[in-house]
Amino acid sequence: IHPTVHQLAEAVAQRIGGKRIYTLPRRCVNILAKIGDLMGNHAPISTKRLEQLTQTLTFNSDAIAKAIDWSPLNVAEYISTHQYTDNDI
């Protein structure tokens, strides 16, 4: 129910025809972010932006699921298997 970033990336890759989504090692990204700090607001990445991009974005849906008898979907599975139509966009 709560996929990892890797699982989401794999689902998106499958959705766009199996193309590989490239990743960088965390250490390299940290170094780039620190360089971005030195460049100021013109840099595409900084330590602040990196923190925002990598922070946890999930929440526990157990209480609402129980309250309204709801069963959440597995997001990664939905992305990779859903048959999209023109109305979905």
Side-chain angles (χ1 to χ4, degrees), residues 9-56:
E10 290 295 319
V12 170
Q14 182 179 348
R15 174 53 61 194
I16 60 174
K19 295 180 180 172
R20 186 163 185 334
I21 296 178
Y22 294 96
T23 59
L24 293 171
R26 180 64 187 233
R27 184 173 179 171
C28 291
V29 176
N30 286 339
I31 291 169
L32 291 172
K34 289 180 183 187
I35 293 170
D37 288 345
L38 298 173
M39 295 173 62
N41 291 334
H42 302 292
I45 189 76
S46 66
T47 54
K48 181 179 178 182
R49 289 182 184 144
L50 180 60
E51 183 180 334
Q52 291 171 340
L53 289 170
T54 58
Q55 68 186 354
T56 301

Side-chain angles (χ1 to χ4, degrees), residues 1-4 7-12 14-15 72-84:
I1 294 176
H2 302 293
T4 64
Q7 290 170 324
L8 289 173
E10 290 295 319
V12 170
Q14 182 179 348
R15 174 53 61 194
L73 299 172
N74 180 311
V75 176
E77 183 179 330
Y78 181 85
I79 290 171
S80 62
T81 62
H82 180 70
Q83 299 299 314
Y84 293 91

